[in-house]
Amino acid sequence: MSSIYGKIFQISTFGESHGAAVGVVIQGCPAGVNFDLEFIQSELDRRKPGQSRITTQRKEADSVEVVSGVFEGKTTGTPIAMLVWNGDQRSKDYSHIADQFRPSHADYTYFAKYGLRDYRGGGRSSARETVARVAAGALAKLVLNQLGVKITAYVSQVGTLKLETPVEALDLSLTESNAVRCPDPILAEKMFTYIDEIRKEGDSVGGVVSAYITGCPVGLGEPVFDKLHAELGKAMLSINAVKGFEYGSGFAGVALRGSQHNDLFEKRPDGSLKTLTNHSGGIQGGISNGEPIYFRVGFKPVATIMQDQTSLNEKGEQITVSGKGRHDPCVVPRAVPIVEAMAAIVLLDFYLRNRVIQMPA
């Protein structure tokens, strides 16, 4: 079971939902990066459960421990290991589905592929694994911040409630001001109420997380198979519950003509090139062009709902699956830092493919 991502800035995650701990080993991080543990912890706090009544009520401190690769506040260039202990497992909540296949979960596919599965909260297929991604992504952010690259994600849709305001007109500093993480406070309140209603009905709802990246230099990405948008898509589609990815004009671009969609160039006063529009989403030919990169990630409704559903067990017998345990009625508010983390990992990996970073003293 592969759990490795990246070519130079490479991460390997481990752990299960109800195991002892989850963690990550990072290789390829440059030496001399100021290791801000408080920042890394703050990123994990954005992802952790129990933030409001519209998230799972599992209580986890998600306190990160740094095991290796850091000395006197700086990265040493050697493998960095970070660990988060699980504290609030309730494995008994899942004993009733020990031999049952929950609809739209990984239960059946894991069992068919491996011949066994960890049914406690989904085991390795649980979104609990994303703790490790956020820790690694926070470290990548620390490097990118020093390079002037800023990654901001936010909730732009919940169910049919959609944010129509262009990202350039949004005040993204408002994203963290509400539990939904939508930068439009009025729409955020509507989204919160809607998710809460869905929760009370024992159901779930999906949504969209949008990301906006500024300060990215020209030249990140490789021709043909390792295009920047292809790697961003792979990274996002590897996140639990993700069903779709689009960047730039995305699927809406198919309704435009080439004369409307083409991004025309102009020369800046400093001699650099700029595009008058940005339907390309900051990426052309699979390589960043220096314009803001933006993309959207679609998340399905959480598969576990507090309603009875018909299914099958390991013997092929028809059974009724009853939803129990603690689950998010909508995953997108907590997915925001995960999307940012995976974007940071992709960008830093490509940055390191292009050049060796000398961190300031």
Side-chain angles (χ1 to χ4, degrees):
M1 182 184 293
S2 176
S3 300
I4 300 173
Y5 182 79
K7 290 195 173 181
I8 296 182
F9 187 83
Q10 189 176 79
I11 71 168
S12 176
T13 70
F14 61 88
E16 296 81 32
S17 177
H18 286 234
V22 291
V24 62
V25 177
I26 304 164
Q27 300 194 74
C29 182
V33 176
N34 291 321
F35 193 86
D36 187 343
L37 185 58
E38 289 187 7
F39 174 75
I40 292 174
Q41 185 62 59
S42 70
E43 292 292 280
L44 289 169
D45 290 345
R46 295 172 66 209
R47 195 223 69 97
K48 74 179 181 181
Q51 296 181 36
S52 72
R53 68 174 182 267
I54 63 168
T55 64
T56 173
Q57 294 306 295
R58 178 171 174 169
K59 300 298 182 183
E60 295 284 359
D62 282 356
S63 297
V64 63
E65 293 184 18
V66 182
V67 180
S68 65
V70 179
F71 181 67
E72 294 184 342
K74 291 185 181 293
T75 58
T76 62
T78 59
I80 298 167
M82 289 188 277
L83 186 69
V84 172
W85 295 98
N86 290 329
D88 189 23
Q89 309 101 313
R90 295 183 187 174
S91 299
K92 65 179 185 300
D93 288 345
Y94 300 92
S95 58
H96 68 292
I97 53 97
D99 66 343
Q100 298 178 352
F101 299 138
R102 294 168 297 172
S104 289
H105 276 273
D107 297 342
Y108 169 68
T109 51
Y110 269 54
F111 182 77
K113 182 176 178 66
Y114 300 108
L116 73 165
R117 62 186 175 90
D118 184 347
Y119 61 83
R120 304 166 303 164
R124 184 65 176 159
S125 68
S126 169
R128 183 76 184 143
E129 180 267 347
T130 61
V131 172
R133 300 177 186 225
V134 172
L139 177 58
K141 274 188 173 185
L142 286 174
V143 181
L144 293 172
N145 287 344
Q146 295 185 53
L147 299 172
V149 180
K150 184 175 182 180
I151 303 170
T152 305
Y154 57 94
V155 173
S156 57
Q157 185 171 346
V158 170
T160 59
L161 298 173
K162 186 175 181 180
L163 180 60
E164 302 289 355
T165 307
V167 63
E168 296 83 1
L170 292 171
D171 182 356
L172 296 182
S173 68
L174 298 175
T175 299
E176 295 294 321
S177 67
N178 57 77
V180 181
R181 293 200 166 97
C182 174
D184 182 326
I186 296 175
L187 183 59
E189 187 173 348
K190 293 179 180 178
M191 289 176 169
F192 185 96
T193 299
Y194 181 56
I195 296 172
D196 201 30
E197 290 173 351
I198 293 290
R199 177 188 65 83
K200 292 174 182 177
E201 294 172 5
D203 216 333
S204 64
V205 66
V208 175
V209 173
S210 294
Y212 190 67
I213 303 170
T214 58
C216 187
V218 180
L220 299 190
E222 302 293 336
V224 193
F225 296 115
D226 283 354
K227 290 179 169 68
L228 178 55
H229 59 269
E231 284 299 314
L232 284 170
K234 178 181 178 180
M236 298 307 145
L237 289 164
S238 75
I239 300 171
N240 307 63
V242 170
K243 301 297 285 185
F245 169 84
E246 63 175 2
Y247 77 102
S249 60
F251 284 99
V254 305
L256 301 177
R257 298 185 179 188
S259 57
Q260 299 169 308
H261 191 272
N262 287 346
D263 295 320
L264 304 182
F265 288 102
E266 69 172 1
K267 195 172 185 178
R268 293 171 174 151
D270 63 3
S272 61
L273 299 182
K274 176 180 173 57
T275 59
L276 297 176
T277 54
N278 191 19
H279 299 299
S280 300
I283 304 170
Q284 294 173 328
I287 300 170
S288 60
N289 66 0
E291 300 297 327
I293 296 170
Y294 63 95
F295 58 84
R296 291 160 296 282
V297 186
F299 289 79
K300 71 173 183 177
V302 176
T304 298
I305 58 176
M306 299 300 109
Q307 298 179 9
D308 289 348
Q309 301 176 91
T310 59
S311 190
L312 300 175
N313 62 19
E314 293 176 2
K315 297 179 180 178
E317 301 166 333
Q318 186 168 334
I319 47 89
T320 298
V321 175
S322 299
K324 294 181 182 179
R326 299 155 296 172
H327 305 276
D328 295 83
C330 181
V331 74
V332 290
R334 292 177 59 218
V336 167
I338 304 169
V339 168
E340 291 181 0
M342 291 307 296
I345 290 166
V346 171
L347 291 179
L348 181 56
D349 189 45
F350 271 121
Y351 205 107
L352 289 168
R353 294 194 211 183
N354 276 14
R355 68 205 75 189
V356 176
I357 299 175
Q358 297 292 333
M359 301 310 300

